[in-house]
């Protein structure tokens, strides 16, 4: 193994970072404000500036006047990505190597942030920033989201001055679960500070972020983290917003997918030589439920447009205050498109209540906390429905948009959320900073990851990453600064690594080694064993869609990269895993075992 391996992957103990701005400490009023925006469960092609037909004029404008990255990555799933985003570490190094639903004994899988990591908010707050958050947190153990439960990993205890949003990963947009203001659990009905005529969570996230901006005194820089749940299931949106897309998807997923790829190539966000991954599903012509299936995508598009409108309102507030020029705005997504079957209904998609038994179902009172991700009944007493023929949008439905539309969102890649093929981990990244970034509208093909956001922002803020915090030794940053890419200079990194649910990958230059694993023997989060899948090797320079496995042609490269992955997995707390490996049986070369 290369003796410089650990320095190459960025998890060795480093000396304190030396930042360009930190060399000459800036006055508080000269440091940039920062707005970090993350969306949820969206695919690489879902923005207009990345190839979509969805109306996203405000994000498109940020891209036109900023930079778009074309080879940027997340960690493939919600809370692992958010852990990396907030800390600059690989998720297992923070304790969230899987999700937050189960806390395992292994250090990499505790299900919440550990004491050996710090958040962007904690570091920037200690550097003199005001720190605000509005949106989805999802970085504490799920059982610690109840009244009187431990709150040491809630946003305020992790560096934010003010917080409004959801503690867990998903919920009804009209009545979110674990809704919280600062350290107090609330409901849309009991919140004394925010009382809109019609509550909708995406708008609530924007409105509360706007309140923070308006009330900010401007005497010191601010860090605002806006973490939308759009467009995570359920497919909820007001009727007038859905109406904007009526008929838009009547030609189906095959047609839209083809149009997107053509536009992506015209925009340059995907190379002209990239081929479309196989559809893998039935054609639109054979779809028996065209109306409700089109309606799901109409609703999904409306959810994204509402988010974009909210971002536009944030931009207008910056303009009104005269601080847009000195504010860095970043936008990215937490994983690829979601192909989960939430709300499919009965075995054949039959319409049915989401509750297995509706006997005795009663709505909770207006002052009762909403604790269910999938509430079976609305507060008005309507039974919440699922099923393939149910029309998406209203509060009494709970639906995902399903795999065929997820393939559209992930155009042209294969696989989805939770996998580490390109469809699971590729994300847009838009960076807008008018006072510094002058190469507006340009693309950047430097390879980056969410672990790079923290070191980038610390460099720009003139902040030093700590070696210890609150008496705890802090794990050295795994990410690197993206600042050289602003001027289209190369980034000094050799490897990037991934693991989620034993889906594994490593990227080295244009080479990517990737494998699909399998968790077995138990329900969600309670598996007992796993099997590793076969390693596949792709040259992303010529095959970004990962269609031609070259592992047989270049076995030495595959072997070398897999060895690096194994070393990283041990060092980054991927191993030991909370599940036992079961080796796949060795197949005889003399007998056809499929007979």
């Amino acid at each position: 193994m290369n003796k410089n391996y650990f320095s190459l992957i960025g998890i060795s103990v480093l000396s304190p970072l030396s930042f360009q701005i930190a060399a000459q400490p800036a006055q508080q009023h000269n440091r940039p404000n920062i707005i970090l925006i993350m969306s949820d469960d969206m695919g690489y092609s879902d923005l207009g500036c990345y190839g979509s037909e969805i109306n996203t004029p405000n994000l498109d404008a940020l891209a036109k006047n900023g930079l778009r990255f074309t080879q940027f990555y997340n960690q493939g799933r919600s809370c692992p990505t958010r852990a990396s985003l907030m800390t600059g570490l690989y998720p297992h190094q923070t304790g969230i190597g899987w999700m937050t639903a189960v806390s395992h004994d292994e250090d990499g899988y505790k299900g919440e942030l550990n004491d050996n990591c710090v958040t962007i908010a904690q570091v920037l707050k200690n550097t003199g920033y005001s720190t605000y958050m509005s949106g989805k947190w999802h970085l504490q153990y799920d059982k610690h989201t109840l009244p009187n439960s431990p709150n040491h990993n809630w946003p305020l205890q992790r560096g934010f001055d003010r917080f409004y949003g959801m503690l867990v990963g998903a919920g009804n947009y009209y009545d979110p679960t674990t809704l919280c203001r600062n350290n107090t659990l609330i409901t849309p009905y009991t919140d004394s500070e925010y009382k809109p005529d019609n509550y909708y969570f995406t708008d609530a996230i924007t409105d509360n972020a706007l309140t923070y901006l308006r009330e900010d005194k401007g005497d010191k820089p601010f860090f605002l983290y806006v973490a939308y749940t759009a467009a995570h299931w359920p497919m909820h949106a007001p009727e007038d917003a859905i109406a904007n897309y009526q008929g838009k998807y009547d030609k189906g997923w095959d047609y839209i997918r083809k149009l997107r790829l053509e536009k992506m190539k015209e925009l340059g966000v995907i190379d002209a030589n990239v081929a479309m991954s196989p559809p893998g599903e039935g054609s639109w012509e054979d779809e028996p439920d065209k109306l409700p299936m089109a309606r799901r995508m109409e609703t999904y598009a409306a959810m994204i447009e509402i988010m974009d409108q909210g971002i536009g309102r944030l931009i207008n507030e910056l303009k009104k205050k005269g601080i847009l020029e000195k504010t860095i705005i970043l936008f990215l997504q937490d994983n690829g498109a979601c192909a989960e079957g939430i709300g499919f209904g009965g075995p054949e998609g039959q319409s049915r209540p989401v509750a297995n038994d509706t006997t005795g179902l009663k709505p909770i009172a207006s002052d009762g906390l909403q604790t269910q991700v999938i509430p079976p009944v609305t507060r008005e007493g309507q039974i919440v429905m699922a099923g393939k023929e149910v029309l998406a949008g209203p509060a009494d439905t709970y639906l995902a948009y399903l795999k065929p539309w997820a393939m559209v969102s992930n155009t042209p890649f294969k696989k989805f959320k939770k996998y580490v093929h390109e469809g699971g981990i590729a994300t847009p990244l838009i960076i807008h900073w008018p006072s510094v970034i002058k190469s507006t509208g340009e693309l950047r093909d430097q390879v980056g990851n969410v672990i790079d956001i923290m070191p980038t922002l610390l460099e720009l803020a003139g902040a030093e990453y700590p070696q210890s915090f609150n008496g705890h030794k802090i794990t050295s940053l795994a990410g690197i600064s993206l600042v050289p890419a602003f001027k289209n200079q190369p980034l000094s990194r050799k490897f990037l690594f991934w693991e989620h649910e034993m889906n594994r990958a490593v990227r080295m230059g244009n080479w990517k080694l990737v494998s699909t694993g399998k968790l077995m023997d138990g329900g969600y989060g309670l598996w007992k064993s796993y099997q590793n899948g076969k390693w596949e090797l792709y040259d992303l320079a010529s095959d970004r869609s990962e269609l031609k496995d070259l592992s047989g042609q270049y076995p030495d490269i595959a072997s070398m990269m897999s060895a690096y992955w194994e070393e990283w997995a041990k060092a980054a707390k991927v191993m030991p895993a909370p599940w036992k490996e079961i080796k796949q049986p060795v197949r005889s070369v003399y007998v056809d075992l499929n007979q």
Side-chain angles (χ1 to χ4, degrees):
M1 190 63 60
N2 190 319
K3 67 180 181 180
N4 294 319
Y5 166 76
F6 291 106
S7 62
L8 287 172
I9 66 174
I11 59 175
S12 60
V13 177
L14 304 175
S15 60
L17 296 181
S18 175
F19 297 111
Q20 294 176 350
I21 297 178
Q24 294 182 339
Q27 298 298 314
Q28 284 187 338
H29 65 274
N30 288 330
R31 288 187 288 169
N33 304 309
I34 301 167
I35 298 181
L36 176 60
I37 306 171
M38 172 162 278
S39 70
D40 202 345
D41 277 19
M42 288 173 57
Y44 181 73
S45 73
D46 273 333
L47 303 181
C49 56
Y50 278 82
S52 177
E53 71 295 331
I54 298 172
N55 189 31
T56 57
N58 296 293
L59 284 166
D60 296 350
L62 291 179
K64 182 179 179 181
N65 296 297
L67 299 174
R68 276 171 296 167
F69 284 70
T70 61
Q71 297 196 74
F72 204 75
Y73 293 106
N74 50 50
Q75 308 297 15
R77 197 78 173 269
S78 180
C79 41
T81 289
R82 291 160 202 273
S84 287
L85 179 71
M86 283 291 101
T87 66
L89 303 176
Y90 283 106
H92 309 78
Q93 295 175 290
T94 75
I96 306 183
W98 180 62
M99 302 288 281
T100 58
V102 178
S103 181
H104 294 284
D105 293 335
E106 290 75 12
D107 287 344
Y109 301 85
K110 296 294 186 182
E112 62 179 345
L113 296 178
N114 59 36
D115 291 328
N116 302 115
C117 64
V118 287
T119 69
I120 299 173
Q122 286 174 306
V123 178
L124 291 183
K125 184 174 182 176
N126 279 5
T127 313
Y129 272 69
S130 298
T131 54
Y132 311 122
M133 179 182 173
S134 185
K136 168 178 166 178
W137 180 236
H138 206 192
L139 291 176
Q140 80 295 301
Y141 183 32
D142 284 358
K143 289 185 178 180
H144 293 170
T145 61
L146 303 174
N148 302 316
S149 65
N151 65 0
H152 55 283
N153 269 321
W154 290 20
L156 263 62
Q157 284 64 248
R158 279 296 185 164
F160 287 96
D161 296 324
R162 302 175 71 178
F163 168 68
Y164 173 88
M166 176 192 293
L167 293 174
V168 297
N172 189 303
Y173 281 75
Y174 305 101
D175 189 13
T177 184
T178 65
L179 191 64
C180 184
R181 181 174 295 285
N182 297 326
N183 279 330
T184 302
L185 292 168
I186 58 173
T187 80
Y189 306 91
T190 62
D191 186 3
S192 61
E193 297 186 30
Y194 179 67
K195 294 184 176 296
D197 292 336
N198 297 293
Y199 186 91
Y200 182 68
F201 191 43
T202 304
D203 287 335
I205 292 171
T206 298
D207 290 341
N208 280 274
L210 278 170
T211 296
Y212 300 152
L213 289 180
R214 289 166 181 158
E215 295 180 356
D216 183 78
K217 296 178 180 179
D219 56 340
K220 54 184 179 178
F222 66 78
F223 169 60
L224 171 61
Y225 177 35
V226 186
Y228 288 103
T229 55
H232 193 293
W233 49 257
M235 299 295 100
H236 280 166
E239 196 64 36
D240 59 346
I242 300 172
N244 293 334
Y245 291 91
Q246 186 173 1
K248 188 78 172 180
Y249 299 102
D250 286 357
K251 292 185 179 180
W253 42 73
D254 306 309
Y255 175 78
I256 299 296
R257 200 167 180 238
K258 180 176 180 292
L259 288 184
R260 285 200 181 186
L261 182 56
E262 292 172 355
K263 183 179 177 182
M264 294 172 79
K265 291 182 177 181
E266 290 174 3
L267 292 170
V269 296
I270 203 78
D271 290 342
N273 65 355
V274 172
M276 187 80 82
S277 61
E281 293 295 324
S283 69
W284 180 253
E285 287 71 21
D286 296 330
E287 172 56 52
D289 301 311
K290 288 184 173 64
L291 174 62
M293 286 300 288
R295 168 80 175 203
R296 291 181 187 228
M297 188 62 190
E298 292 168 2
T299 307
Y300 179 84
M303 295 166 72
I304 293 173
E305 182 172 355
I306 292 169
M307 176 189 67
D308 181 84
Q309 291 170 350
I311 293 170
R313 290 195 285 141
L314 295 174
I315 294 169
N316 287 337
E317 184 63 27
L318 297 176
K319 291 178 179 177
K320 182 179 178 181
K321 297 188 75 169
I323 57 174
L324 178 63
E325 291 289 319
K326 62 184 298 185
T327 300
I328 306 166
I329 303 175
L330 304 91
F331 174 89
L332 70 165
Q333 300 162 187
D334 68 345
N335 46 246
C338 176
E340 294 165 355
I342 298 293
F344 186 71
E348 301 300 324
Q350 302 95 328
S351 298
R352 49 157 291 175
V354 299
N356 292 326
D357 184 2
T358 61
T359 305
L361 268 184
K362 295 180 180 179
I364 57 177
S366 61
D367 60 349
L369 295 177
Q370 179 59 268
T371 61
Q372 294 179 284
V373 171
I374 307 178
V377 59
T378 69
R379 291 191 191 246
E380 293 73 29
Q382 299 166 302
I383 300 297
V384 178
M385 298 296 294
K388 196 159 174 281
E389 296 181 359
V390 174
L391 296 182
D396 62 349
T397 67
Y398 210 96
L399 312 170
Y401 72 158
L402 302 179
K403 187 175 180 179
W405 290 122
M407 298 189 74
V408 170
S409 292
N410 277 346
T411 303
F413 305 137
K414 67 181 183 183
K415 298 289 188 181
F416 313 93
K417 168 185 176 180
K418 94 170 186 177
Y419 298 102
V420 293
H421 286 75
E422 295 293 282
I425 58 176
T427 173
L429 172 65
I430 299 170
I431 301 182
H432 179 272
W433 191 12
S435 64
V436 172
I437 296 176
K438 303 302 182 182
S439 304
T440 57
E442 292 188 359
L443 302 174
R444 293 290 182 264
D445 62 2
Q446 286 87 343
V447 178
N449 184 280
V450 287
I451 60 176
D452 301 330
I453 298 298
M454 184 171 190
T456 301
L457 295 182
L458 296 191
E459 176 172 344
L460 298 176
E464 187 172 292
Y465 185 78
Q467 292 184 332
S468 64
F469 192 84
N470 289 342
H472 298 281
K473 183 179 179 180
I474 300 302
T475 304
S476 298
L477 283 168
I480 62 174
S481 174
L482 300 171
V483 170
F486 291 3
K487 295 184 178 179
N488 210 18
Q489 296 172 355
L491 301 178
S492 57
R493 170 194 280 122
K494 188 171 183 180
F495 294 103
L496 276 174
F497 299 92
W498 291 267
E499 187 283 328
H500 183 70
E501 294 191 357
M502 289 302 145
N503 300 309
R504 304 170 293 160
V506 52
R507 178 162 176 170
M508 180 185 71
N510 287 320
W511 289 112
K512 182 179 175 186
L513 194 70
V514 60
S515 168
T516 301
K518 181 188 296 184
L519 294 174
M520 305 175 295
D521 306 322
Y524 178 77
L526 301 175
W527 305 284
K528 297 178 181 178
S529 59
Y530 71 90
Q531 285 185 338
N532 281 324
K534 174 186 176 292
W535 284 113
E536 306 160 14
L537 180 66
Y538 298 103
D539 178 4
L540 297 189
S542 60
D543 183 21
R544 184 82 188 273
S545 296
E546 299 168 305
L547 302 179
K548 186 177 180 181
D549 178 11
L550 301 175
S551 59
Q553 188 173 347
Y554 299 99
D556 291 345
I557 293 177
S559 177
M560 180 265 293
M561 293 178 69
S562 67
Y564 276 122
W565 187 93
E566 295 290 344
E567 289 296 323
W568 166 79
K570 294 174 184 176
K573 300 184 179 179
V574 176
M575 297 298 179
W579 316 290
K580 180 181 178 181
E581 182 180 6
I582 296 179
K583 300 284 188 180
Q584 296 189 43
V586 178
R587 303 184 68 81
S588 171
V589 297
Y590 302 105
V591 179
D592 183 357
L593 299 180
N594 291 318
Q595 290 183 359

